[in-house]
Amino acid sequence: MTVPTPSRILIVAGSDSGGGAGIQADIKTVAMLGGHPMTAITAITAQNTLGVQAVHPVPTDMVMAQIDSVLSDIGADAVKIGMIGSAETAHALADRLETLELPVVFDPVMIATSGSVLADADVIAAFRRFLALAALTTPNLPELAALGGEAVVRHQTRALLVKGGHGEGPVIEDRLVEPGGEQRWQHPRLDTNSTHGTGCTLASAIATGLGQGLPLADSVDRAIAFVQAALAAAPGLGQGHGPMGHGLGMVPFYHLLAAISREGWNAAAFAARWG
């Protein structure tokens, strides 16, 4: 069997010990969409569905060592930026990205779904450099306001995806704003508390699409569809804002074995033994 070479997605973000957001959500998303996830962890958090109990930034030299390690050997086709542990790390990362010709998706993580603050004023100020570097910036409505509002941000970044999940009403509208115009996606708001990691998931899904050579609008379209599917498949874990169902209710290994078997394969028997 010939295995296609996956797109290589470098994720620069924080770790979520609860597995719902951050690096953990990014890895699951990239893998589910056919990419190869690589990581540079910027911060370690003690976190669950109820909130963030502790944050420990990773030293800047260690963040950059992770990046240099994977780029020097494996390379990358796209970069996703999420939580940044310090302004020093933000500037060092921006310096490095300026030397690379890669599509960058910037998710300006400031506040967790639970309301915990994940970026201080100095880090937010350093975000300006990422806005200029990014092929796409993906703020939610509170993050967009913290960056100065849509009119300001759209002149600082090449393309802007305004996420409507924090808005009011039964319909969510996401808007892709580019110099040539806008595209809009509308979908019903799902009645669920399992929304932890939606922003991380969306940005990583878009980065995967760009790394695979999809046009920006197509990458956004597929990413929104994946987020909706993962929300619908959420397992309902935890007492607060629970994780999404990135696996979409499947055990992919079973499906893979069924797909590659040349002599027939009994999925039910396998599941009974190992499921």
Side-chain angles (χ1 to χ4, degrees):
M1 181 181 67
T2 301
V3 178
T5 301
S7 59
R8 305 158 296 175
I9 311 302
L10 174 59
I11 305 156
V12 185
S15 170
D16 173 4
S17 58
I23 286 286
Q24 286 81 352
D26 297 326
I27 290 172
K28 289 182 280 189
T29 299
V30 173
M32 283 294 292
L33 293 176
H36 173 68
M38 304 172 294
T39 64
I41 297 176
T42 60
I44 301 168
T45 71
Q47 185 174 170
N48 55 28
T49 68
L50 298 174
V52 179
Q53 291 78 45
V55 177
H56 177 68
V58 174
T60 297
D61 59 353
M62 185 60 197
V63 175
M64 301 311 298
Q66 294 173 78
I67 293 170
D68 290 342
S69 178
V70 298
L71 290 180
S72 65
D73 176 37
I74 301 170
D77 298 300
V79 178
K80 181 262 175 132
I81 302 174
M83 177 185 177
I84 299 295
S86 68
E88 179 185 359
T89 295
H91 286 297
L93 175 59
D95 289 342
R96 187 61 43 82
L97 292 176
E98 286 173 350
T99 68
L100 306 174
E101 294 184 2
L102 294 172
V104 174
V105 176
F106 173 40
D107 182 25
V109 175
M110 301 178 192
I111 301 175
T113 302
S114 62
S116 301
V117 176
L118 298 176
D120 61 25
D122 289 339
V123 172
I124 294 172
F127 282 174
R128 304 294 175 189
R129 296 187 65 187
F130 294 142
L131 293 174
L133 286 165
L136 178 68
T137 301
T138 64
N140 59 34
L141 296 178
E143 291 164 349
L144 185 61
L147 290 170
E150 181 176 337
V152 171
V153 175
R154 67 190 299 173
H155 289 99
Q156 295 179 330
T157 194
R158 278 176 272 178
L160 173 66
L161 181 64
V162 181
K163 301 179 296 190
H166 283 73
E168 300 293 335
V171 176
I172 293 176
E173 181 176 84
D174 301 312
R175 295 187 293 115
L176 176 61
V177 183
E178 298 182 89
E182 290 189 8
Q183 294 188 56
R184 298 175 182 237
W185 288 263
Q186 292 185 336
H187 43 86
R189 186 183 300 275
L190 297 177
D191 184 15
T192 177
N193 285 329
S194 298
T195 56
H196 189 46
T198 49
C200 304
T201 298
L202 182 68
S204 286
I206 296 170
T208 304
L210 295 178
Q212 292 168 333
L214 293 178
L216 178 58
D218 289 346
S219 296
V220 171
D221 185 70
R222 186 180 71 169
I224 290 174
F226 180 73
V227 168
Q228 289 298 295
L231 283 170
L237 302 177
Q239 304 170 63
H241 294 284
M244 304 160 65
H246 291 90
L248 307 183
M250 301 185 300
V251 181
F253 181 55
Y254 298 171
H255 296 269
L256 173 63
L257 289 180
I260 67 175
S261 174
R262 297 178 181 177
E263 301 175 354
W265 179 72
N266 189 330
F270 187 90
R273 181 179 179 188
W274 299 109

